Amino acid sequence: RYVVEQVRCGNARGTEIMKGKIKDPRYPSDQWAKMEVTRETLSGETVTVHFWKNRQTGDVREIKFKD
């Protein structure tokens, strides 16, 4: 899907979510942000993707489609 490619390339401007609520030791909040991108398809369907973004490098991990 196109939105995943945007996220992988760093072209998708996401919104930080769950700020201050993340307890996952793999993603310390001073280094990683939980992000969300929502797009509407040509058919009118809304697609939401969550992912982790490194605050310093912009690296992206664990891209997931949300229902």
Side-chain angles (χ1 to χ4, degrees), residues 28-32 53-59:
S29 62
D30 63 328
Q31 297 174 22
W32 293 90
K53 184 172 185 175
N54 186 288
R55 295 178 188 280
Q56 285 77 38
T57 67
D59 186 33

Side-chain angles (χ1 to χ4, degrees), residues 8-20:
R8 285 185 182 151
C9 295
N11 294 333
R13 300 208 177 210
T15 303
E16 186 171 352
I17 59 173
M18 299 178 65
K19 193 171 189 172

Side-chain angles (χ1 to χ4, degrees), residues 1-2 4 14-15 19 22 27-28 32 37-39 43-46 54 56 60-63 67:
R1 295 187 182 189
Y2 182 67
V4 172
T15 303
K19 193 171 189 172
I22 303 295
Y27 298 102
W32 293 90
V37 173
T38 302
R39 297 285 188 265
S43 63
E45 177 187 8
T46 299
N54 186 288
Q56 285 77 38
V60 171
R61 302 263 173 94
E62 294 193 29
I63 300 170
D67 294 330

Side-chain angles (χ1 to χ4, degrees), residues 32-50:
W32 293 90
K34 180 81 171 196
M35 305 296 288
E36 177 180 84
V37 173
T38 302
R39 297 285 188 265
E40 188 173 321
T41 66
L42 294 175
S43 63
E45 177 187 8
T46 299
V47 177
T48 301
V49 176
H50 287 182

